[in-house]
Amino acid sequence: MPAAAPALFPDPLDDVRSRYPEAVTDQMRALIDPADPADPIALQFLPDLRELDQLPVEDGDPIGDDRFSPLPGVVHRYADRVLFKMIAACPVYCRFCFRREMVGQGEPGLSGPALDAALAYVAARPAIREVILTGGDPFMLSARRAGELTRQLAAIAHVELIRWHTRVPVVDPQRVDSTYAEALRVSGAATYVAIHANHPREFTPAAEAALARLVDAGIVLVSQSVLLKGVNDDAGTLADLMRAFLRNRVKPYYLHHPDLAPGTGHFRLSIARGQALMAQLRRTISGLGQPTYILDVPGGASKAPLGPAYLREDPEGGLEVLGAANGWQPVAAAQSPGD
Ligand code: SF4
């Protein structure tokens, strides 16, 4: 067969793809409406020329992982918990990813002697109660490796919590079969899984079935989402997203303000806009559906809850309702205050 002729007009997006990898699962691709140039699923996963615009304020390591890395693949920022970056691959590559300089870029994950060293690091530090498994996406590990890692961690007496952060149950749900869910269950430690989703349409029947398999295996699920311009930065979408988590037994946990990752400026909105959306969410759904709106302070110093504040105490001990600044209304005027 003759070799294919080179394209006469190169695709300008190839420059983006050569900088940051592209991957979209069949499940997510099927959700994209090709007739909608602003489709929120496409925005999350398809390359965009704006990714080549890097602002001076952006940083390849926006939350300062490297500064707090005592060993390859380990981040130890807070005394009582440590992060293992298990694998640098994901089933999808989110165009806003805060670790986009690392994921899908061929970096090694934690295995063999490097994993042994990471486990020994935890074992030698009784203050560490929680190990957070991240990546990339740690659910890219096989069920066998995930189960083995779970058992190794639970065997360390002072490790009480094992927390996985993953997008797989939503974007590649068939991967989370009952064998996988069972592999995460272990005695000696509680397993939590933080489920990453950003738009209510991501909750397909297959995704909901995968989430049910995890919950039914005794795993505690919490949510994490990123507040993204054009994807979920309106009150209705955000409320529907939190309702989707809740009905799937996923407790809303974190709503991240976007990090200063390179080439992601088109996703960022102001903190004031995010606070106004949180105030609207508070008015719309119950307290059970409220995530913490959070910012990883650039450089990695800490996580900072962004509010908004709803009340201010005056010098006489009275309370002032802060309405104008964040869209909040006095209780008497609100139609449906959260419980
Ligand atoms: S799944 Fe997570 S780590 Fe992977 S590309 Fe998306 S945001 Fe980044």
Side-chain angles (χ1 to χ4, degrees):
M1 191 193 267
L8 280 179
F9 302 104
D11 183 345
L13 287 173
D14 285 346
D15 285 346
V16 181
R17 293 188 184 100
S18 66
R19 184 77 190 80
Y20 302 109
E22 177 185 11
V24 193
T25 56
D26 291 343
Q27 291 84 354
M28 290 299 105
R29 198 175 287 282
L31 295 178
I32 293 173
D33 176 0
D36 180 2
D39 183 89
I41 310 296
L43 269 176
Q44 292 185 69
F45 301 123
L46 300 187
D48 186 308
L49 285 177
R50 290 173 291 181
E51 293 174 54
L52 297 175
D53 300 334
Q54 180 164 353
L55 304 174
V57 74
E58 294 174 340
D59 185 341
D61 181 21
I63 67 168
D65 281 350
D66 292 346
R67 243 178 91 198
F68 294 91
S69 181
L71 294 173
V74 175
V75 180
H76 195 185
R77 206 184 313 268
Y78 308 103
D80 70 338
R81 52 206 185 273
V82 72
L83 211 100
F84 283 9
K85 293 190 205 171
M86 290 306 301
I87 188 166
C90 300
V92 289
Y93 287 116
C94 310
R95 310 318 298 178
F96 51 85
C97 177
F98 70 123
R99 292 208 178 105
R100 60 189 334 216
E101 297 293 332
M102 170 234 174
V103 298
Q105 307 277 10
E107 280 198 26
L110 259 185
S111 61
L115 178 57
D116 292 343
L119 291 166
Y121 180 89
V122 174
R125 288 166 177 78
I128 297 174
R129 293 166 178 268
E130 183 174 4
V131 178
I132 299 162
L133 304 167
T134 180
D137 196 315
F139 270 32
M140 294 296 277
L141 300 177
S142 66
R144 184 190 60 76
R145 281 194 66 199
E148 191 181 321
L149 176 64
T150 302
R151 287 189 295 278
Q152 286 173 307
L153 289 169
I156 301 172
H158 51 270
V159 172
E160 298 172 344
L161 301 178
I162 302 170
R163 183 179 1 143
W164 301 74
H165 279 240
T166 179
R167 205 147 167 42
V168 166
V170 169
V171 300
D172 194 9
Q174 278 79 8
R175 195 175 170 82
V176 186
D177 57 15
S178 50
T179 305
Y180 209 103
E182 286 297 328
L184 304 180
R185 196 208 330 231
V186 71
S187 62
T191 303
Y192 283 67
V193 176
I195 303 292
H196 178 178
N198 302 316
H199 193 279
R201 266 169 46 205
E202 295 171 35
F203 289 78
T204 60
E208 298 202 348
L211 295 171
R213 284 191 285 277
L214 289 168
V215 179
D216 293 344
I219 312 296
V220 183
L221 301 186
V222 295
S223 80
Q224 60 169 348
S225 305
V226 187
L227 185 57
L228 297 165
K229 192 194 277 185
V231 174
N232 54 19
D233 64 330
D234 70 89
T237 302
L238 213 48
D240 285 347
L241 174 61
M242 297 308 149
R243 289 184 181 116
F245 281 126
L246 285 175
R247 75 166 180 268
N248 285 287
R249 296 178 284 173
V250 184
K251 169 69 185 84
Y253 176 44
Y254 273 156
L255 178 66
H256 293 270
H257 190 77
D259 295 309
L260 294 170
T264 61
H266 53 294
F267 285 113
R268 281 198 295 277
L269 63 175
S270 68
I271 289 175
R273 170 81 183 131
Q275 289 170 330
L277 286 166
M278 285 299 295
Q280 283 177 281
L281 193 66
R282 174 62 66 178
R283 288 204 302 274
T284 309
I285 60 177
S286 77
L288 205 54
Q290 306 294 326
T292 302
Y293 178 36
I294 199 104
L295 172 73
D296 278 284
V297 177
S302 67
K303 276 188 163 52
L306 295 174
Y310 298 98
L311 292 173
R312 180 165 51 212
E313 192 175 25
D314 66 32
E316 283 74 45
L319 292 175
E320 178 193 357
V321 176
L322 302 175
N326 56 31
W328 182 245
Q329 301 169 7
V331 171
Q335 290 180 334
S336 126
D339 295 324

